Amino acid sequence: MKRLRHAAVSALVFASSALLMLPDAIAENIKLRIASGHPPANTYVNLMQNFFVPEVTKRVAARTKHTVEFVEGYGGSIVKVADTLEGVQSGIIDIGGYCFCFEPSNLPMHAFQVMLPFGTMDSVKSVTLARRIYDKVPYMSKVFEDKFNQILIGLIADNGYNLGTNFEWDKVADLKGKKLAGAGLNLKWLEYAGAVPVQSSLPDAYTSMQTGVYLGWIMFPSGYVNFKLYEVGKHYTEIGFGAITWHGLTINKNRFAKLPKDVQQIIREVGREYETKTGTVNLENYPNQLDQLRKAGAVVKQLPDSVRVDWANSLKGWPQEKATELDKAGLPGSQVLKLAIEEAEKLNHKWPVRYSIK
């Protein structure tokens, strides 16, 4: 009997010891490398630095036995703008924020809002719409895990896209033959308008406009303010291409799997709050940034709806063209674009020209 009791006590002690050896029970000092090719002048990177990092750090310390220390590298100090997906995939960095615009081959579906120009200019509605699409079409999130060894933890909205130039223009015909910059698929907006599209990225914008590589940029006002593009292109014209959600915050799948469960939960939680903030902060900042441009000497003007209709008409066949192309590649092109049109209308958006997807 005593032997049995002794054996039971020993088993209990062993079980308790084993429990203490579980990952979540051992206090860890976790180091995570977080980076972006863009600098903190970009709103989403600023929120990585001043919201995501401190909130994860604080909540892990308050709610778990663990601590988190972030090694931060922004502005291309660890990964360049077009290399961030690969940086997360390979484990060079653990968490990366980047634009899907630089991954047209790897993530062709994820620029779907760009395929529907003249969408909502409301950043909150943009990220809300995008989240609905990602939730209804599993491929949109799963592709990061299945093909690129990472987990999408937050979508990122921009504020509304307009056109900044070093010349004044009033109608679409004024842009014919002009060299204008964009990134990825939004170059098609320029092409259909008769402009000469030039692929570029924000870190190169100032010098390129200054030296005449191109004469303007499809750009949201925060980028125009923060990179001082008004100094080399003083005309900022509100054409209203739409607020686009085509950036994301991802974490390396292998690194995430090794984290304690309670830390994983906090990262997912803060990632979704970060996603929401990219919408609200950009929406709040938009009118303030237009005021900043005016105070800095830029000429800010809004074009009449007729110009938007004219430009949208030049593009009206393009969404169907993209849907067909994506469908043929085995991707949910028509499904996503149809849903996006419908979800935008549920959010009270009125298209200047309503696109039709078969």
Side-chain angles (χ1 to χ4, degrees):
M1 193 72 180
K2 285 182 179 178
R3 284 180 184 175
L4 287 172
R5 200 177 301 126
H6 178 73
V9 170
S10 297
L12 183 62
V13 170
F14 177 79
S16 299
S17 300
L19 182 63
L20 289 171
M21 292 300 289
L22 290 172
D24 281 354
I26 301 170
E28 292 185 39
N29 180 24
I30 300 160
K31 281 194 176 181
L32 293 172
R33 293 156 297 177
I34 186 169
S36 176
H38 286 123
N42 279 58
T43 301
Y44 85 91
V45 183
N46 185 280
L47 286 170
M48 287 170 68
Q49 184 179 48
N50 295 308
F51 176 75
F52 183 84
V53 166
E55 279 300 313
V56 170
T57 304
K58 181 175 70 177
R59 294 184 202 188
V60 168
R63 289 163 40 185
T64 77
K65 297 179 180 180
H66 316 293
T67 57
V68 171
E69 178 186 346
F70 282 93
V71 177
E72 300 175 77
Y74 308 118
S77 60
I78 302 178
V79 287
K80 304 301 181 187
V81 290
D83 302 324
T84 310
L85 178 144
E86 289 80 4
V88 177
Q89 183 177 12
S90 65
I92 292 172
I93 56 174
D94 300 307
I95 299 172
Y98 56 96
C99 183
F100 305 148
C101 56
F102 297 113
E103 301 294 341
S105 299
N106 290 326
L107 300 171
M109 276 306 321
H110 294 67
F112 67 90
Q113 284 181 314
V114 182
M115 300 170 202
L116 300 169
F118 302 102
T120 179
M121 286 289 283
D122 182 318
S123 302
V124 172
K125 289 183 178 180
S126 172
V127 77
T128 299
L129 184 156
R131 175 48 60 193
R132 289 180 185 179
I133 302 301
Y134 278 69
D135 288 347
K136 289 182 178 183
V137 185
Y139 166 84
M140 299 298 288
S141 297
K142 276 181 56 54
V143 68
F144 291 95
E145 301 180 40
D146 295 344
K147 291 188 70 174
F148 304 111
N149 192 38
Q150 54 202 281
I151 298 167
L152 181 67
I153 54 176
L155 295 169
I156 296 170
D158 284 325
N159 56 15
Y161 278 88
N162 295 301
L163 183 62
T165 57
N166 64 7
F167 61 92
E168 186 175 5
W169 66 281
D170 298 297
K171 55 187 184 298
V172 178
D174 295 338
L175 304 176
K176 189 173 182 180
K178 304 286 189 184
K179 286 186 178 180
L180 301 173
L185 268 186
N186 66 22
L187 292 171
K188 284 290 184 181
W189 303 347
L190 298 167
E191 182 183 320
Y192 278 89
V196 178
V198 182
Q199 170 72 33
S200 192
S201 65
L202 265 172
D204 302 324
Y206 191 100
T207 302
S208 295
M209 284 182 71
Q210 188 178 43
T211 57
V213 174
Y214 44 77
L215 309 178
W217 244 103
I218 291 177
M219 185 49 56
F220 35 85
S222 60
Y224 224 72
V225 169
N226 294 331
F227 286 82
K228 298 185 177 180
L229 300 184
Y230 52 82
E231 292 182 354
V232 289
K234 73 173 187 176
H235 298 277
Y236 190 79
T237 305
E238 289 188 85
I239 180 63
F241 290 118
I244 309 294
T245 298
W246 65 334
H247 291 63
L249 191 67
T250 65
I251 185 168
N252 179 274
K253 188 177 176 181
N254 298 337
R255 185 70 182 99
F256 188 77
K258 292 176 183 176
L259 295 174
K261 298 293 184 188
D262 46 6
V263 175
Q264 290 181 358
Q265 181 182 346
I266 288 168
I267 286 174
R268 287 189 184 275
E269 172 187 296
V270 178
R272 283 300 186 95
E273 291 178 26
Y274 166 85
E275 174 178 306
T276 299
K277 271 193 171 292
T278 66
T280 55
V281 170
N282 272 310
L283 182 62
E284 290 166 5
N285 285 347
Y286 183 86
N288 299 330
Q289 286 156 353
L290 292 180
D291 286 341
Q292 284 178 266
L293 286 173
R294 293 184 186 99
K295 288 174 183 174
V299 177
V300 179
K301 72 176 182 182
Q302 193 170 46
L303 291 178
D305 290 343
S306 59
V307 181
R308 295 179 75 238
V309 171
D310 188 24
W311 201 323
N313 267 317
S314 75
L315 285 155
K316 67 180 179 182
W318 183 54
Q320 179 63 67
E321 180 186 320
K322 288 302 299 178
T324 302
E325 175 190 317
L326 293 163
D327 290 344
K328 285 180 179 176
L331 298 169
S334 293
Q335 180 191 9
V336 166
L337 291 183
K338 279 182 183 176
L339 273 173
I341 292 168
E342 292 164 5
E343 291 297 337
E345 290 171 340
K346 288 177 186 176
L347 292 166
N348 299 316
H349 178 64
K350 292 182 180 179
W351 301 95
V353 173
R354 194 187 192 279
Y355 307 111
S356 176
I357 308 294
K358 295 178 183 176

